Amino acid sequence: MNISWEELTARIQACTACPLSRSITNKVPGQGSHSARLMLIGEGPGAQEDLEGLAFVGAAGQLLTKMLAAINLTREEVFIANIVKCRPPGNRVPLPQEAETCLPFLRAQTALIRPRIIMLLGATALKTLMGEDKRITACRGKWIISKGVYIMPTFHPAALLRDPGKKRPAWEDLKLVRDKLAELESSEASTS
Ligand code: URA
């Protein structure tokens, strides 16, 4: 899919390619800077996101906002998206088939933004994008480099709310992202 933001957003809004579109209030395409250096990818909209049509605006989203602030970033400076654009009923995990069907939209968003770093928030984002055999506990905190993009898997903010013991490792992962952003920025400055 090689298209403009306007066309992409229109296609997301019109999509009925999987059954998830039948039970939603709003599509949640994702939002933020179209030239973001950092992109964050979650699982799928929850109840609040479905009501507002915006990604990560519920309790997990509020924690995500604080996590970004801790590395001096605002939500407006990054792009926040999900694997699926429609809320799965009862907040269940999207089925692999639903994720696959929705994936061209996320890929098109990524192609338009061309982020330097992508944070995968939780197991669904990791498995959908990196392979079903991947485990978040094993992969978090370790860079995956794919087509020149630095990918950092980390725990989902909702997992941090359920299990505060995960906050420390998540903070370590965030610091790696902060430092990589600074490193990329300084190497770009020295070559320009
Ligand atoms: N959880 C997600 O994975 N995405 C959201 O947008 C909200 C909660």
Side-chain angles (χ1 to χ4, degrees):
M1 230 189 269
N2 193 5
I3 53 174
S4 67
W5 275 107
E6 291 71 23
E7 175 66 15
L8 178 56
T9 306
R11 286 199 200 178
I12 293 171
Q13 293 297 350
C15 180
T16 54
C18 89
L20 292 183
S21 63
R22 292 191 211 124
S23 53
I24 60 164
T25 309
N26 285 299
K27 296 280 171 76
V28 181
Q31 75 276 353
S33 166
H34 290 176
S35 55
R37 301 166 59 75
L38 174 63
M39 184 169 177
L40 300 109
I41 302 176
E43 177 178 293
Q48 196 60 33
E49 289 76 19
D50 178 63
L51 280 177
E52 295 189 35
L54 294 169
F56 279 98
V57 290
Q62 285 165 26
L63 178 56
L64 186 61
T65 305
K66 286 188 198 158
M67 291 163 65
L68 289 169
I71 57 167
N72 291 317
L73 286 172
T74 64
R75 291 173 64 105
E76 292 70 32
E77 287 173 293
V78 303
F79 195 88
I80 305 175
N82 282 304
I83 293 290
V84 293
K85 311 301 188 196
C86 291
R87 181 193 183 199
N91 292 350
R92 66 163 169 76
V93 175
L95 302 174
Q97 184 58 48
E98 293 161 350
E100 277 306 315
T101 306
C102 211
L103 216 47
F105 291 138
L106 183 65
R107 293 205 192 285
Q109 290 174 319
T110 310
L112 283 166
I113 297 166
R114 301 206 299 127
R116 300 302 310 271
I117 300 180
I118 296 176
M119 284 192 95
L120 302 180
L121 305 175
T124 301
L126 175 68
K127 285 169 182 278
T128 305
L129 294 171
M130 295 295 140
E132 276 299 316
D133 59 326
K134 297 287 188 292
R135 293 285 169 272
I136 194 69
T137 42
C139 294
R140 64 139 287 272
K142 298 184 190 125
W143 289 112
I144 300 165
I145 302 171
S146 172
K147 298 179 197 145
V149 180
Y150 288 83
I151 300 171
M152 174 57 67
T154 192
F155 293 123
H156 192 288
L160 308 184
L161 292 173
R162 284 193 300 270
D163 176 3
K166 291 195 166 87
K167 284 190 177 173
R168 170 59 54 187
W171 171 233
E172 296 303 325
D173 302 347
L174 261 182
K175 283 193 290 185
L176 291 174
V177 168
R178 177 194 65 190
D179 294 348
K180 183 62 75 182
L181 278 170
E183 181 191 317
L184 292 171
E185 206 157 300
S186 73
S187 74
E188 281 160 19
S190 68
T191 53
S192 69

